[in-house]
Amino acid sequence: MYLSKEDKGSFIDACFHYWNKDCKMTYTKMARRISQESLDILIDEGMIEKKDNQIIIKFLDTQYKERKEQYLKRVIAAKKSKKKNTFSDPIHKNTDSLNKFLSTINGNT
């Protein structure tokens, strides 16, 4: 990369802010966070894209999408696991054993 150290630092800052906002950032907001001059240089160099007023950083979009898909798969797996463990346990299936247990606690044998 043939960028100044300031512009390289601006790119890192831009990536941070972009990721922190779930990869949704307008040109106007990004220009407030890093200098507009640096942002325009990064756009000219092709490191950041601008469509209408939206900023796009492709490699972060790809990573964000992958992480989101992994997260959703894990949530679904956790729900299935919890459901399976809860309802496969014979204690939860058999209310008679629960009633017997409660009657012994209450002294009703």
Side-chain angles (χ1 to χ4, degrees):
M1 289 194 204
Y2 302 103
L3 297 173
S4 69
K5 288 182 180 182
E6 180 182 319
D7 291 333
K8 288 178 185 178
S10 293
F11 178 68
I12 298 299
D13 285 347
C15 289
F16 167 79
H17 291 297
Y18 189 74
W19 185 265
N20 194 40
K21 293 296 182 182
D22 297 327
C23 297
K24 293 179 178 84
M25 178 75 69
T26 64
Y27 175 87
T28 307
K29 287 183 181 180
M30 186 65 80
R32 285 187 213 136
R33 284 163 178 77
I34 65 173
S35 72
Q36 185 173 355
E37 181 182 344
S38 288
L39 180 56
D40 290 339
I41 289 170
L42 295 172
I43 291 169
D44 289 342
E45 292 294 324
M47 299 173 72
I48 295 176
E49 292 180 22
K50 179 184 174 196
K51 288 189 180 175
D52 299 322
N53 194 37
Q54 293 297 312
I55 292 296
I56 299 165
I57 304 176
K58 285 186 179 183
F59 82 94
L60 289 179
D61 288 339
T62 301
Q63 289 180 10
Y64 184 81
K65 181 181 175 188
E66 290 169 357
R67 301 285 186 304
K68 190 74 166 179
E69 289 170 357
Q70 288 173 348
Y71 169 77
L72 292 174
K73 286 178 185 177
R74 289 181 181 139
V75 167
I76 291 168
K79 286 180 181 180
K80 285 181 182 178
S81 175
K82 182 179 178 185
K83 188 175 183 180
K84 180 181 176 186
N85 290 337
T86 301
F87 294 110
S88 66
D89 187 353
I91 293 172
H92 291 93
K93 285 184 174 181
N94 189 348
T95 57
D96 289 336
S97 49
L98 178 61
N99 290 334
K100 285 179 187 179
F101 174 72
L102 291 174
S103 66
T104 58
I105 291 175
N106 295 328
N108 302 334
T109 49

